Amino acid sequence: MANRWKNTLTDRDVTDESAYLNRRQILAGTAAGLGLAGIAATQAHAEDLEATAWEDITSYCNYYEFGTRKDDPSKYAHMLTTKPWTVKIDGLVDNSGDYAFDDIMAKMTVEERIYRFRCVEAWSMVVPWNGFELADLLDLAGVQSEAKYVAFETAYRPDEMPGVRYPVIDWPYVEGLRMDEAMHPLTIMATGIYGKDIPNQNGAPLRLVVPWKYGFKSIKSVVRITLTDKEPPTAWNKANAREYGFYSNVNPTVDHPRWSQASERVLGTGLFARRQDTLMFNGYADEVASLYDGMDLTKFY
Ligand SMILES: Nc1nc2c(c(=O)[nH]1)N[C@H]1C(S)=C(S)[C@@H](COP(=O)(O)O)O[C@H]1N2
Ligand SMILES: [Mo]
């Protein structure tokens, strides 16, 4: 999957927010100049998106392993040891085993993706992620043809995670994607924000980002990726199957049982926060709607 259309950068290329802003201008030029369709168009369009401030992205978080208040993760996630870090890749792959984070990074091409992010709780932000395509990591592992789903698991460390004392979730936090969703070029493993290493509260050292799905699909601090032929269990579906499905694609026409999903509060827009209409597939319908041809999207998936 490498080098089809990538605007490559490493964490070293972008060290602060001013460099990031310069890069954005470059990106806006090259994406159009290279005439790359699809994601490049998405990213050119992303230039119109106003990125949420670093302070807001990193202080208003959901990471229940560190507590359920929005500011708990920024207070306590520093307790998580992220170096060294290993990701076990197993199941229906040719090269199963423990992959050291540094070895993964040496092989992956890190690039910038400016994505909308929509939590099921009806708040949203725009995040300039740095990361690599999940497809590239799965290619490295060698996915076997019988694999139909990808299961993900977050670290479970009672000594470092004060929130896991409370049975809000059946720990460890787990998530899953269908194979075509996992291989989609919009699906990334994020390792940075604004060109800096991703902060612990946002899922260091690597977390999934699936921009057309509600935020809870984007599982943090991944320690295990398992290729399987069965739909894997997911943390929020296990906690409340009536409210949270496996697919959980952003859909403004299907309300949550307890609130409307038609609009969203935009993070970082102050006390009288701006609201905006929620977009089908969170604005990525052109890229992903075809994955769900034949599925009844008015049903709660
Ligand atoms: N392991 C784990 N991953 C998680 C969560 C969590 O509690 N634990 N919360 C999810 C939810 S509900 C959202 S909205 C996003 C929030 O990501 P952010 O805090 O980086 O904005 O992370 C998702 N990934
Ligand atoms: Mo969420």
Side-chain angles (χ1 to χ4, degrees), residues 64-68 72 156 161-171:
Y64 280 15
E65 286 85 339
F66 297 98
T68 56
D72 282 337
Y156 172 71
M161 295 173 150
V164 303
R165 279 186 288 228
Y166 308 98
V168 214
I169 290 288
D170 177 17
W171 314 107

Short mmCIF file of all heavy atoms in Angstrom, two decimals, residues 64-68 72 156 161-171:
data_model
loop_
_atom_site.label_atom_id
_atom_site.label_comp_id
_atom_site.label_asym_id
_atom_site.label_seq_id
_atom_site.Cartn_x
_atom_site.Cartn_y
_atom_site.Cartn_z
N TYR A 64 -11.26 5.80 29.70
CA TYR A 64 -11.85 5.39 30.97
C TYR A 64 -10.90 4.60 31.86
O TYR A 64 -11.12 4.50 33.06
CB TYR A 64 -13.13 4.60 30.71
CG TYR A 64 -14.34 5.46 30.42
CD1 TYR A 64 -14.21 6.81 30.09
CD2 TYR A 64 -15.63 4.93 30.47
CE1 TYR A 64 -15.32 7.60 29.82
CE2 TYR A 64 -16.75 5.71 30.22
CZ TYR A 64 -16.58 7.04 29.89
OH TYR A 64 -17.70 7.82 29.65
N GLU A 65 -9.82 4.06 31.28
CA GLU A 65 -8.83 3.38 32.11
C GLU A 65 -8.21 4.34 33.12
O GLU A 65 -7.60 3.92 34.11
CB GLU A 65 -7.71 2.80 31.23
CG GLU A 65 -8.12 1.56 30.43
CD GLU A 65 -8.81 1.87 29.11
OE1 GLU A 65 -9.36 3.00 28.96
OE2 GLU A 65 -8.82 1.00 28.22
N PHE A 66 -8.37 5.66 32.87
CA PHE A 66 -7.81 6.66 33.79
C PHE A 66 -8.90 7.46 34.48
O PHE A 66 -8.61 8.46 35.14
CB PHE A 66 -6.84 7.58 33.03
CG PHE A 66 -5.66 6.82 32.49
CD1 PHE A 66 -5.63 6.39 31.17
CD2 PHE A 66 -4.62 6.46 33.34
CE1 PHE A 66 -4.57 5.63 30.69
CE2 PHE A 66 -3.55 5.71 32.86
CZ PHE A 66 -3.53 5.29 31.54
N GLY A 67 -10.14 7.02 34.35
CA GLY A 67 -11.25 7.74 34.98
C GLY A 67 -12.24 8.21 33.94
O GLY A 67 -11.91 8.33 32.77
N THR A 68 -13.46 8.51 34.41
CA THR A 68 -14.54 8.80 33.46
C THR A 68 -14.79 10.30 33.26
O THR A 68 -15.59 10.68 32.43
CB THR A 68 -15.85 8.13 33.91
OG1 THR A 68 -16.14 8.57 35.23
CG2 THR A 68 -15.74 6.62 33.89
N ASP A 72 -9.80 13.58 33.62
CA ASP A 72 -9.03 12.51 34.28
C ASP A 72 -7.85 12.02 33.43
O ASP A 72 -6.74 11.90 33.96
CB ASP A 72 -9.93 11.31 34.61
CG ASP A 72 -10.80 11.55 35.85
OD1 ASP A 72 -10.42 12.40 36.69
OD2 ASP A 72 -11.85 10.88 35.99
N TYR A 156 -3.94 -3.41 29.62
CA TYR A 156 -4.66 -3.49 30.89
C TYR A 156 -3.61 -3.56 31.99
O TYR A 156 -2.94 -4.57 32.17
CB TYR A 156 -5.55 -4.73 30.93
CG TYR A 156 -6.17 -4.98 32.28
CD1 TYR A 156 -7.19 -4.15 32.76
CD2 TYR A 156 -5.73 -6.03 33.09
CE1 TYR A 156 -7.75 -4.37 34.01
CE2 TYR A 156 -6.30 -6.26 34.34
CZ TYR A 156 -7.30 -5.43 34.79
OH TYR A 156 -7.86 -5.63 36.03
N MET A 161 -3.16 2.21 35.78
CA MET A 161 -4.44 2.72 35.28
C MET A 161 -5.46 2.76 36.42
O MET A 161 -6.15 1.76 36.68
CB MET A 161 -4.95 1.82 34.15
CG MET A 161 -4.07 1.82 32.91
SD MET A 161 -4.65 0.59 31.72
CE MET A 161 -4.16 1.34 30.17
N PRO A 162 -5.58 3.90 37.11
CA PRO A 162 -6.47 3.96 38.27
C PRO A 162 -7.93 3.68 37.93
O PRO A 162 -8.69 3.22 38.79
CB PRO A 162 -6.28 5.39 38.79
CG PRO A 162 -5.59 6.15 37.70
CD PRO A 162 -4.82 5.15 36.89
N GLY A 163 -8.34 3.89 36.69
CA GLY A 163 -9.75 3.73 36.32
C GLY A 163 -10.20 2.28 36.19
O GLY A 163 -11.42 2.02 36.22
N VAL A 164 -9.27 1.34 36.05
CA VAL A 164 -9.71 -0.05 35.81
C VAL A 164 -10.19 -0.74 37.09
O VAL A 164 -10.68 -1.87 37.04
CB VAL A 164 -8.63 -0.92 35.09
CG1 VAL A 164 -8.24 -0.29 33.77
CG2 VAL A 164 -7.41 -1.16 35.96
N ARG A 165 -10.09 -0.04 38.23
CA ARG A 165 -10.71 -0.52 39.46
C ARG A 165 -12.22 -0.57 39.33
O ARG A 165 -12.90 -1.28 40.05
CB ARG A 165 -10.42 0.45 40.62
CG ARG A 165 -9.10 0.29 41.25
CD ARG A 165 -9.06 1.21 42.45
NE ARG A 165 -8.96 2.59 41.96
CZ ARG A 165 -8.10 3.47 42.43
NH1 ARG A 165 -7.31 3.15 43.42
NH2 ARG A 165 -8.03 4.68 41.95
N TYR A 166 -12.75 0.31 38.46
CA TYR A 166 -14.20 0.42 38.33
C TYR A 166 -14.66 -0.37 37.12
O TYR A 166 -14.09 -0.23 36.03
CB TYR A 166 -14.59 1.90 38.20
CG TYR A 166 -14.01 2.75 39.29
CD1 TYR A 166 -12.83 3.48 39.08
CD2 TYR A 166 -14.60 2.78 40.56
CE1 TYR A 166 -12.27 4.23 40.10
CE2 TYR A 166 -14.04 3.53 41.58
CZ TYR A 166 -12.88 4.25 41.35
OH TYR A 166 -12.32 4.98 42.36
N PRO A 167 -15.69 -1.19 37.29
CA PRO A 167 -16.10 -2.07 36.18
C PRO A 167 -17.02 -1.39 35.16
O PRO A 167 -18.02 -1.95 34.76
CB PRO A 167 -16.82 -3.20 36.93
CG PRO A 167 -17.40 -2.54 38.14
CD PRO A 167 -16.46 -1.42 38.50
N VAL A 168 -16.65 -0.18 34.76
CA VAL A 168 -17.45 0.54 33.75
C VAL A 168 -17.44 -0.24 32.44
O VAL A 168 -18.43 -0.28 31.71
CB VAL A 168 -16.84 1.93 33.44
CG1 VAL A 168 -17.92 2.93 33.12
CG2 VAL A 168 -15.91 2.42 34.53
N ILE A 169 -16.29 -0.82 32.15
CA ILE A 169 -16.05 -1.60 30.95
C ILE A 169 -15.54 -2.96 31.43
O ILE A 169 -14.93 -3.05 32.50
CB ILE A 169 -14.95 -0.88 30.10
CG1 ILE A 169 -15.48 0.42 29.48
CG2 ILE A 169 -14.33 -1.78 29.04
CD1 ILE A 169 -16.44 0.23 28.34
N ASP A 170 -15.79 -3.98 30.64
CA ASP A 170 -15.20 -5.29 30.92
C ASP A 170 -13.77 -5.26 30.38
O ASP A 170 -13.52 -5.57 29.23
CB ASP A 170 -16.06 -6.36 30.20
CG ASP A 170 -15.52 -7.75 30.34
OD1 ASP A 170 -14.68 -7.98 31.24
OD2 ASP A 170 -15.93 -8.62 29.55
N TRP A 171 -12.83 -4.78 31.24
CA TRP A 171 -11.44 -4.59 30.80
C TRP A 171 -10.81 -5.89 30.32
O TRP A 171 -11.13 -6.92 30.88
CB TRP A 171 -10.61 -3.98 31.93
CG TRP A 171 -11.26 -2.84 32.62
CD1 TRP A 171 -11.80 -2.84 33.87
CD2 TRP A 171 -11.47 -1.52 32.10
NE1 TRP A 171 -12.33 -1.62 34.16
CE2 TRP A 171 -12.14 -0.79 33.10
CE3 TRP A 171 -11.15 -0.89 30.88
CZ2 TRP A 171 -12.51 0.54 32.92
CZ3 TRP A 171 -11.51 0.43 30.71
CH2 TRP A 171 -12.18 1.13 31.72
#
